[in-house]
Amino acid sequence: MSGHMTGIEHIAAAFAGADKRAALMPYLMGGFPDLDTSRRIGDACIDAGADLLELGIPFSDPLADGPVIQAAGTAALAAGATTDGVLEVCAALAPRAPVVLMTYVNILLARGIERFVDQAARAGAAGLIVPDVPLEESAELRDACDAAGLALVALVAPTTPDDRLARIGALARGFVYTVAVTGTTGERRGGDASELLARVKRSTSVPVALGFGISTPEDAARAAADGADGVIVGSRLVRAAAEAQDPATEVGRLVAELAAGLAAPPAHTDSAAPVG
Amino acid sequence: MTPAEAVERRFGPYGGQYVPETLMPALEELEAAWVQARGDAAFHAELDGLLRDYCGRPTPLYHAERLSERVGRTVLLKREDLMHTGSHKLNNALGQALLARRMGKERIIAETGAGSHGVATATACALLGIECVVFMGTEDMRRQRPNVLRMQLLGASVHPVEAGARTLKEATSEAIRDWVTNVATTYYVIGSVVGPAPYPAMVRDLQRRIGDEARAEILERHGRLPGRVVACVGGGSNALGAFAAFLDDPGVELIGVEAGGDGLATMRHGAPLTVGGRAGVLHGAMSALMQTEDGQIREAHSISAGLDYPGTGPQHAHLRDTGRARYEAVTDVQALDAFRTLAELEGIIPALESSHAVAWVLGEGAGELDLICLSGRGDKDLAEALERLGIE
């Protein structure tokens, strides 16, 4: 029972307690393909070894997302997903693993920032990722999250210069979400993230997770070898949820593979920097 | 370190920079480049020279006598339809393309609804020899076929956007996604007074010569200011360009005319300001929006692709709230009627967008001197309008 842990503490414990080289955080779109199936996908992720979950609340115009997650959001809305419905999915999953909600600022503004944060906290959410709220627009939201014990997760990108990284890292809560590539979410071959991760780690005291473009167990293992404390996998899993006959089973299978990739020592001679 | 004669980032509660972190350094770079360019006489000399010799500015201020007779008061038309490429859009596209070249960007992207901004950007890129990609919804590509061909002839590639209603909102989202991906090499020319700061203020400043020219000319020829300045509002760049010169003239009423579509009661419209749309964030800025209770953006509807947008420029929302400008809507049917009326009375075929401003003036009984910003010409709309009017 962790009833009196705050979301921030919950996230810290999940990173610290991960039995892998990096914590594994699958992304799933709430309400896709429907609310009940998305809850079952979340359960399957946890069963397969996810340490944390990133749960998307669909938005009509998701600027940071590539075609796969964009299409899933559109389909979720068409299937009747609402913010309240996804918060219920969150409430069902949160007792099993820390859930970090991911959505766009207009979803928050629609019910008011404080009210949204309060409802998210009551649904058991541990943190919040809002990719269209950069540092400059974040004060009110961070205050509300701090008051509710919710971690407002900061994003940094390859384009973020060091002085800005320092300002973001100092205010980061829970973990820093490092965007691995200059672009939107999606499966693609990324480069060596070790330099970027080292820069980010120098800027902050919280764990650093890597996301965008990570889809295979090899990608995940390389992210860990490059120094990521956590690995976020989204589009690959959402695509599986869209294509599979039995989405929960298939996503669970893929998450188990990713977990195995992170459990093993670096495969072959990856000439990767010595770990630890 | 430029002493910050800062570019406005907020207009009251509206505006801001709600974009992914990847773009924040690019917005900072853009703002710094713009502050530097707007203080540089050489930049202005080049832009002014091109606007005069290449674009045909200043555009005429035309006393529309038969239209004036019809409505019982003097009506003046600011003839942006006579500008090169057929609309006011080139004022902005050319200014931003020059800025892109100053910044050393090798690739320009733009979104377009009606195609006017796409054509303007493609034109500026042809002139300056810069690669150009224009994002356009496939529904708009259907409605505005001639502009698609024009862009291609000018050497731009038109990137079809299939998402959602396949109109301006989706094209803008896709352009922003491209910018997030290619930000190092690419300059994004936004076509209206929308988007994250510094765009709304920068685009307004590039369009304000519409108002500056009109104000000087009307003072010289009529010895007075207009009673009203009337302009259509989608994102709102021609309106804000016209309004900007009159903001400090309290006697001049400013009227923005939005797309009433099938009627405000139907939800099939593009009039977030008129219906009191709640503040929200779309495409990087907070402004009045058409949205659901849950904050999902609604699809707009207008016969004119350029007004078919569920948001609007943040400064317009602020002008509405402060009462400095008034926003009203006219329907598709009224706009079509004005399209035909202006053609018959004055021999001028207006863009369907601009027809909204004309329609408002036609439907208004009172007043003594109206200045309409005729933001563009209607050649691009002939197929759509003639079909709707039942003329084959």
Side-chain angles (χ1 to χ4, degrees), chain A residues 58-63 65 70 77 82-83 106-107 109-111 131-132 134 136-137 155 157 159-160 164 182-183, chain B residues 10 16-22 24-25 163 169 173 176-177 180-181 183 278 280-281 286 291 293-297:
Chain A
F59 175 53
S60 52
D61 296 82
L63 288 184
D65 284 305
Q70 194 189 335
L77 292 172
T82 59
T83 301
N106 202 51
I107 297 296
L109 293 171
R111 56 183 66 194
D132 56 350
E136 284 73 1
E137 308 290 355
L155 289 103
T159 54
T160 309
R164 186 175 169 80
T182 304
Chain B
R10 290 270 175 187
Q17 298 180 306
Y18 297 92
V19 296
E21 169 62 21
T22 304
M24 290 303 291
K169 173 170 80 93
S173 294
I176 294 175
R177 289 193 186 96
V180 170
T181 305
V183 63
R278 226 174 45 245
V281 168
M286 186 177 294
Q291 56 180 323
E293 199 64 34
D294 246 4
Q296 309 296 344
I297 311 300

Side-chain angles (χ1 to χ4, degrees), chain A residues 103-130:
Chain A
T103 194
Y104 289 81
V105 67
N106 202 51
I107 297 296
L108 279 60
L109 293 171
R111 56 183 66 194
I113 291 213
E114 252 181 64
R115 187 157 157 252
F116 178 93
V117 167
D118 183 54
Q119 290 176 343
R122 275 192 284 135
L128 189 58
I129 299 171
V130 191

Side-chain angles (χ1 to χ4, degrees), chain B residues 50-282:
Chain B
L50 285 170
L51 286 170
R52 184 188 64 227
D53 302 336
Y54 182 70
C55 304
R57 297 207 75 91
T59 57
L61 187 70
Y62 168 65
H63 179 188
E65 290 195 23
R66 296 187 68 205
L67 175 62
S68 299
E69 208 171 295
R70 170 72 64 92
V71 299
R73 61 187 180 276
T74 301
V75 180
L76 304 175
L77 304 179
K78 178 60 174 166
R79 299 289 307 276
E80 294 299 299
D81 61 314
L82 291 177
M83 166 117 162
H84 180 41
T85 74
S87 85
H88 71 292
K89 291 292 188 186
L90 191 55
N91 295 319
N92 169 50
L94 193 56
Q96 287 199 56
L98 287 173
L99 184 61
R101 194 182 61 186
R102 261 175 99 95
M103 293 172 72
K105 301 291 181 183
E106 14 185 277
R107 177 172 177 267
I108 278 179
I109 58 171
E111 82 296 336
T112 199
S116 302
H117 174 59
V119 167
T121 305
T123 298
C125 287
L127 179 72
L128 301 179
I130 302 175
E131 181 191 351
C132 180
V133 179
V134 180
F135 293 85
M136 190 172 190
T138 51
E139 167 61 11
D140 287 339
M141 290 177 73
R142 183 193 66 75
R143 289 194 279 191
Q144 304 289 345
R145 182 94 188 121
N147 272 345
V148 174
L149 299 173
R150 220 166 263 144
M151 285 184 269
Q152 287 167 342
L153 183 63
L154 290 161
S157 48
V158 180
H159 185 110
V161 178
E162 281 291 352
R166 303 188 295 276
T167 59
L168 180 56
K169 173 170 80 93
E170 292 76 23
T172 306
S173 294
E174 209 50 38
I176 294 175
R177 289 193 186 96
D178 180 291
W179 197 33
V180 170
T181 305
N182 299 300
V183 63
T185 58
T186 297
Y187 183 103
Y188 178 24
V189 178
I190 292 188
S192 192
V193 286
V194 301
Y199 284 105
M202 178 172 70
V203 176
R204 175 203 60 207
D205 290 350
L206 287 167
Q207 291 292 3
R208 85 164 273 161
R209 70 182 64 228
I210 299 172
D212 287 339
E213 285 175 9
R215 193 174 187 283
E217 178 110 17
I218 197 171
L219 281 174
E220 188 188 315
R221 279 179 32 203
H222 298 261
R224 55 160 296 178
L225 292 172
R228 283 188 295 234
V229 178
V230 186
C232 65
V233 176
S237 70
N238 91 88
L240 206 49
F243 292 176
F246 299 96
L247 285 175
D248 297 330
D249 300 315
V252 179
E253 255 193 287
L254 307 173
I255 314 280
V257 186
E258 294 191 296
D262 289 347
L264 296 182
T266 66
M267 296 275 216
R268 281 177 54 78
H269 59 78
L273 291 164
T274 309
V275 302
R278 226 174 45 245
V281 168
L282 175 65

Side-chain angles (χ1 to χ4, degrees), chain A residues 125-164:
Chain A
L128 189 58
I129 299 171
V130 191
D132 56 350
V133 174
L135 182 67
E136 284 73 1
E137 308 290 355
S138 66
E140 183 189 356
L141 179 56
R142 189 170 35 257
D143 288 348
C145 285
D146 283 351
L150 218 60
L152 178 63
V153 173
L155 289 103
V156 299
T159 54
T160 309
D162 282 332
D163 57 334
R164 186 175 169 80

